[in-house]
Amino acid sequence: MGKKGKRDKKGKGAEKTAAKMEKKVSRRAKKEEEDLEALIAEFQSLDAKKTQVIESSCPPPSPRLNCSLCAHPERDELILFGGEYFNGQKTYLYNELYIYHIRKNSWAKLEIPNPPPRRCAHQAAVVPTAGGQLWIFGGEFASPNGEQFYHYKDLWVLHLATKTWEQIKAPGGPSGRSGHRMVACKRQLIIFGGFHESARDYIYYNDVYTFNLDSFTWSKLAPAGIGPAPRSGCQMAPTPEGNIIIYGGYSKQRIKKDVDKGTLHTDMFLLKAEGAGKEEDRWTWSRLSPSGVKPTPRSGFSVAAAPNNRCLLFGGVHDEEEEESIEGDFFNDIYFYDVGKNRWFPAQLKGPKSEKRKRRRGRQAEAEAAGEEELQPPPPQGPLEIVKEVVGEDGTVMTIKQLIPGAAEDKDRSGSEEEEEEEEEEGGALGQPVEPCPRSNAMVAVKHGVLYVYGGMFEVGDRQVTLSDLHSIDLHRMDGWKVLLEMDPKTQEWLEESESDEEEDDDVEGAEGGEEEEESSEEESEDEEGEQQHPAVQPGEAQAQYLARTEQYWLRLARSHMGPEAKDKKVLKVAHAMAKTFYEDPV
């Protein structure tokens, strides 16, 4: 009894501390949000000029992060909304709506009057009601310099059949936040966690809210049991029984003045709904201890519901935090969680590549048996110099040289082997399968058992590369990735902080990230073909600018050096080391 009383006291103390911190953050954020509200209102007045629905074919969306990607509940379409883009100096926010037509492998832009304000790090969920609805809650708006934030607490629904936006105004909902998670489950939206940040303070949440899709009312749950610690960016998945699974996430806390410590959560919880009524006091938290192979600790991973009562986790990053810097290891692996068996396991690709290798090994065995040729490992040779030229948009020719110690490739290969390797090069040369490069914060969606992965980001030193490629993989067959859209290096822009002080006067334009700016840049690129699209990029940045395009080059280089039997994870590390060595200290 004494122990229970201590636990209750400790719990109440933690609640009081959290309440005080929330008030403190709220006070300091109020002034910032008032400043940004005027900017948001200005953008909404621009959106108000749209009076009719216009759907038009368009190029793929420009690179962006923290947007939402959902599968249409009735059509073979994916719906992309919002997002942000940071070019090293400015943050651009979007509220554009794009439709990806799966069968045509084409994009269309859908302009609808009175859309939600520009935002990123929101959450979206689709339900099949009345021809399909896309629900959006929360997210954030950032000032162009990325130092002020406005956190939304609004709820919107896009009626897909009538192509109309509607804001749902209901009291009692969650406070403004981003990085939260939301799922549709049993005729209700369920929201968990997230964070609210001002210029100097921040707070993470672990509260749970439900929104009834029939009565349009909010309820704050008070589950029994010990639940997850406050966090953002976790995995949240509904079960067929109407329960909720929470895994992982990220949070940080201030350990001393101006010093924060981040935490990668790896625990797992079940929020169980007991009783037919699923009333507030009928929810219970319990901790899960899954079997199998759990994902390695990471943040920035992407999640989606998968076939056969499973959910999946893709990519992410593990940051090594030093006192003055953060180094990140990025991932492109897939893990499945089997809800029924409470078991994690990594995805295994089964593709034609393995069959080719088997055939090759078979031919080698036959040659040995016939005494035609004795296969011995080639003797060690001197360093191998690989030279590759990449032509920049400004006409600059960059010669990429890499010295690799160890054995060169065997030049006495049979013609059939060379043909096979040529075939492999078409899909990801030298035995490296075609796959998304390692990344975090990718947008994912599943339709008809196929996983679609759009965009994301990775870092090279202080430079952030925002991707806009599109890959897919059949989750039933798991026979390899398909590239639906390659990354276009022309869309990459990175400006160093010292490059231009004049940008500070263009806050509104930068924050808007507007359509007019995109259209004008397209016209300029058409009229001035061959000229550099972003003249502010300095020559020293040119090599990094093309890192996305040469990502597969480094992977092929590493694979050729290590051989076809090397494990993909080791090849990936060697490829990253090669690229990092070259870009930081070019030959």
Side-chain angles (χ1 to χ4, degrees), residues 299-368:
S299 63
F301 52 76
S302 308
V303 298
N308 303 320
N309 196 23
R310 295 170 178 171
C311 50
L312 66 84
L313 179 153
F314 170 80
V317 60
H318 182 275
D319 289 325
E320 294 291 341
E321 297 188 15
E322 302 294 338
E323 284 193 10
E324 296 183 358
S325 64
I326 296 179
E327 291 290 334
D329 289 327
F330 290 81
F331 304 97
N332 63 349
D333 47 1
I334 297 176
Y335 281 84
F336 288 105
Y337 174 71
D338 190 308
V339 176
K341 297 179 180 179
N342 187 27
R343 176 175 171 265
W344 280 104
F345 61 96
Q348 299 292 334
L349 295 184
K350 304 171 290 187
K353 298 282 186 292
S354 59
E355 295 300 321
K356 290 179 181 177
R357 289 173 187 164
K358 286 179 183 176
R359 289 199 300 270
R360 187 181 304 154
R361 292 192 197 109
R363 281 196 300 272
Q364 290 174 349
E366 289 173 9
E368 287 177 353

Side-chain angles (χ1 to χ4, degrees), residues 547-563:
L547 180 65
R549 180 155 66 181
T550 58
E551 178 82 12
Q552 289 299 322
Y553 163 72
W554 295 111
L555 288 170
R556 290 196 292 270
L557 204 61
R559 176 66 70 180
S560 68
H561 175 54
M562 301 177 69

Side-chain angles (χ1 to χ4, degrees), residues 111-313:
E111 297 184 42
I112 300 176
N114 303 311
R118 291 160 171 78
R119 69 188 63 206
C120 64
H122 55 280
Q123 281 288 280
V126 292
V127 296
T129 306
Q133 294 176 339
L134 173 73
W135 289 83
I136 288 174
F137 174 79
E140 70 183 41
F141 178 91
S143 61
N145 61 11
E147 295 181 359
Q148 291 180 298
F149 303 95
Y150 181 91
H151 294 267
Y152 294 103
K153 57 180 179 180
D154 50 354
L155 179 67
W156 294 77
V157 57
L158 172 62
H159 301 281
L160 297 171
T162 59
K163 294 183 173 64
T164 54
W165 282 108
E166 180 185 1
Q167 183 177 4
I168 307 299
K169 297 181 179 180
S175 57
R177 63 189 65 194
S178 56
H180 52 290
R181 291 295 177 258
M182 179 175 78
V183 296
C185 181
K186 301 285 187 182
R187 293 299 302 157
Q188 58 188 351
L189 303 175
I190 303 180
I191 292 174
F192 169 79
F195 70 94
H196 186 290
E197 184 174 13
S198 67
R200 290 187 292 171
D201 293 303
Y202 53 83
I203 183 171
Y204 284 79
Y205 300 105
N206 63 346
D207 47 5
V208 185
Y209 285 82
T210 64
F211 180 79
N212 190 297
L213 293 172
D214 295 316
S215 63
F216 281 23
T217 55
W218 285 105
S219 297
K220 183 176 181 180
L221 303 186
I226 299 175
R231 64 192 65 191
S232 68
C234 62
Q235 179 183 40
M236 184 178 186
T239 71
E241 299 78 25
N243 303 323
I244 299 296
I245 292 171
I246 299 291
Y247 168 76
Y250 176 83
S251 65
K252 63 181 180 180
Q253 61 183 23
R254 188 147 294 162
I255 55 176
K256 57 183 179 180
K257 187 177 181 181
D258 299 328
V259 178
D260 299 323
K261 182 180 180 182
T263 300
L264 291 177
H265 299 278
T266 59
D267 46 6
M268 200 164 187
F269 293 84
L270 176 70
L271 180 60
K272 190 173 182 180
E274 299 175 354
K278 296 183 177 58
E279 297 175 3
E280 291 182 24
D281 58 348
R282 297 297 186 108
W283 293 82
T284 304
W285 282 114
S286 62
R287 192 165 186 138
L288 292 175
S289 298
S291 61
V293 181
K294 290 173 64 175
T296 54
R298 63 189 71 187
S299 63
F301 52 76
S302 308
V303 298
N308 303 320
N309 196 23
R310 295 170 178 171
C311 50
L312 66 84
L313 179 153

